[in-house]
Amino acid sequence: MWEMILSSTVWGGVGTGVAWFVTICLLLAGAVGCVLPVLPGHLILLIAAVAYRLMLGEESGLEWWSFVVLGLLMAISQTFEMLSGAAGSKWFGGTRWGAVGAIIGSLVGMFFLPFGLLLGPLIGAFVCEVAFARKNARPAAISGVGSVVGVLAGMGFKMVIGLLMIVWFFLDVFWVGK
């Protein structure tokens, strides 16, 4: 199937310059997406690698296992980002209810970008600590602040993984197996 896709006339006329232009634009958009929550940065970085391979075929220098590595890095980053608010809540002394509230708040907060990414886990952890764990306002607020610290740590981790994906792409294209 891969050979059929590559042999399509759509890709035949794309030159190296155009391939690099498209790839660099996608890599830049992916890097921005790793910082700004509005764009799916890691997914765009993976798409950049796939597009580069499709446009240049065997000449691209990308190996099949590179896509596996990029996909795993993307999955690790997304999982860590989703669970970081809950981990922060627990680290600051919250109960499992605070952790559950932080996860629910993260999911709901995605619909209220950009402030929802920080306020969602904070409010979710606080509300669940008060309502279900029967904590007073102060410990519940500390759990909520912990969820925000966790989310910020997750964002930092997300940026590091994005940079790692870009470095991996260039290493595979120019160095690995050459």
Side-chain angles (χ1 to χ4, degrees):
M1 181 171 143
W2 187 254
E3 296 303 321
M4 187 173 71
I5 293 171
L6 288 178
S7 65
S8 170
T9 57
V10 173
W11 309 110
V14 176
T16 305
V18 172
W20 271 111
F21 178 76
V22 169
T23 303
I24 294 297
C25 287
L26 286 170
L27 288 173
L28 288 173
V32 168
C34 288
V35 177
L36 295 178
V38 220
L39 294 173
H42 297 98
L43 181 61
I44 294 172
L45 292 174
L46 181 62
I47 289 171
V50 170
Y52 182 74
R53 171 68 181 180
L54 285 174
M55 288 185 279
L56 293 182
E58 291 290 323
E59 296 175 26
S60 69
L62 284 174
E63 302 293 332
W64 67 268
W65 47 268
S66 191
F67 299 112
V68 172
V69 170
L70 292 173
L72 283 173
L73 286 172
M74 181 181 73
I76 289 168
S77 176
Q78 296 304 318
T79 302
F80 190 83
E81 186 182 14
M82 282 308 270
L83 299 179
S84 62
S89 175
K90 291 287 285 177
W91 193 16
F92 274 59
T95 65
R96 78 181 158 145
W97 287 110
V100 168
I103 291 172
I104 293 169
S106 293
L107 293 172
V108 172
M110 287 190 312
F111 296 104
F112 301 99
L113 295 174
F115 302 110
L117 290 177
L118 294 176
L119 291 178
L122 173 75
I123 294 169
F126 180 82
V127 167
C128 283
E129 290 286 4
V130 170
F132 300 111
R134 305 282 187 226
K135 283 194 171 185
N136 293 328
R138 182 171 169 78
I142 292 172
S143 175
V145 168
S147 71
V148 171
V149 170
V151 166
L152 292 173
M155 287 178 177
F157 185 75
K158 181 180 174 182
M159 287 186 264
V160 169
I161 292 292
L163 180 62
L164 187 60
M165 288 176 74
I166 292 170
V167 168
W168 182 269
F169 171 80
F170 282 111
L171 282 176
D172 194 29
V173 168
F174 291 114
W175 189 55
V176 177
K178 308 298 180 254

